[in-house]
Every structure is written in structure tokens, then in C-alpha cells.
Amino acid sequence: MDTHNATLLVVRAAHFAAQKHVDQRRKGESAEPYFNHVADVAAHLAEATGGGDAALIAAGYLHDTVEDQDVTPAELAAQFGHDVADLVAEVTDDKSLPKLERKRLQIEHAAHASLRAKMLKLADKCSNLNAILTSPPPDWPTQRRLAYFDWALAVVAGCRGVNPQLEARFDALYARRGELTAGG
Ligand code: ZN
């Protein structure tokens, strides 16, 4: 992909995600716009890959549009190409399954995902752990916050060895797990 096309792809993906998530907020106490989460994931991916993989950065912006906003994989493929659509598909849960089963499958699927989907998962879990640390969902008791950390660690176990920077970022966030029980 030449530089012009790469720039267009990333900007269009960001724009599309901003439109799709316009009414969605994060669950945390500060109720940030959901777009901040996908921008966070895209930025982690851009930094961790030195900006060298535009399709992966675009997928970072788009990774929750199918799961949360009923965008179809075909729509993503038509607008952003199959590479981007396939990356998003790899990190999209099957919402017809019960929540516990989806969570179990994420652990199982992570180990078999493509290298780039593993990076996307790592970046997503980094963003979510950071959100729980900095703006925890008020209706999540401490136990649920801890359980999320531990589940994320299990998912990330299948994503190791693909990107040291993302892995180190995740481990640094996970290391702050004790703050969840520190009463503050
Ligand atoms: Zn996400």
C-alpha cells in the first residue's frame, strides 16, 4: 500500500468509527465517548508497529463496529477491503452465544489467531485494563473488576510472542491489579 492510500484508509476508518459509535459511551464512571476506546487501540497499534501496518491500524479503529454497532463484515470488506474486514472478524465475538461462552471462546481462539489479530487483542485488553484502573464502571464490584483482569490475562496468554511493546504495556497494566483492592 502506498503512503497516500495508507493515509486514506486510516482516516476513513477513524471517520467511520466516529460515526458508528457516536451515541455509545464507555461503562466507566467518566462515561467517555466509546470512540476514545477505539482511538486508544488504534494508537497503541500504530506505536507498536512504527506506523507500518495501515490495515491493522484501521482495524483498530473498526474493531468493535460489528460487535457493538451491527455493521456487517460485508460492509467493512466493501469499504475497507478484505484484509481489514478479516482482522475485525477475528476479534469479533459471536453475539448469538451466551456471554460466558463468548468469554471462554476468546481465551481459546486467541492462541489460534493470526499474529496481527493477536496484536489487536493485546491492544484492546490494554485499553480495557487502563479504563478499569482510571475510570472503573461504578456498577462493577471489586470482584468483577478483578475477574476482568484475570480473564484478560488468560486471553493474552494466547497472544504472547507477537509484539514485545504491547506485551510489556499489558504486563505493566496487569501489575497494577492490586490497586483495585487498595480501596482507592
Ligand atoms: Zn474494544
Side-chain angles (χ1 to χ4, degrees), residues 26 37 40-41 44 121-135 145-146 148-150 152-153 156 160 164-180:
R26 297 225 78 187
H37 163 63
D40 200 27
V41 170
H44 286 336
K121 271 185 181 292
L122 269 166
D124 190 30
K125 296 299 181 266
C126 286
S127 177
N128 290 342
L129 291 199
N130 188 57
I132 291 171
L133 286 164
T134 58
S135 173
R145 298 173 192 175
L146 292 168
Y148 188 93
F149 266 58
D150 293 338
L153 184 70
V156 162
R160 292 193 182 272
Q165 191 174 327
L166 287 170
E167 215 173 299
R169 189 187 285 265
F170 178 86
D171 288 334
L173 287 161
Y174 186 85
R176 295 172 60 193
R177 183 181 184 278
E179 293 176 24
L180 299 175

Side-chain angles (χ1 to χ4, degrees), residues 25-99:
R25 298 256 157 192
R26 297 225 78 187
K27 293 176 195 147
E29 59 197 7
S30 55
E32 288 171 34
Y34 200 84
F35 181 77
N36 285 39
H37 163 63
V38 300
D40 200 27
V41 170
H44 286 336
L45 289 167
E47 296 291 347
T49 58
D53 189 341
L56 181 59
I57 297 165
Y61 278 116
L62 298 166
H63 78 276
D64 282 327
T65 58
V66 174
E67 199 168 298
D68 292 346
Q69 297 300 328
D70 296 326
V71 173
T72 65
E75 186 178 1
L76 288 186
Q79 293 216 31
F80 303 104
H82 283 283
D83 188 20
V84 172
D86 289 349
L87 278 165
V88 173
E90 276 200 86
V91 299
T92 298
D93 286 351
D94 179 353
K95 282 196 128 174
S96 68
L97 299 172
K99 186 157 188 192

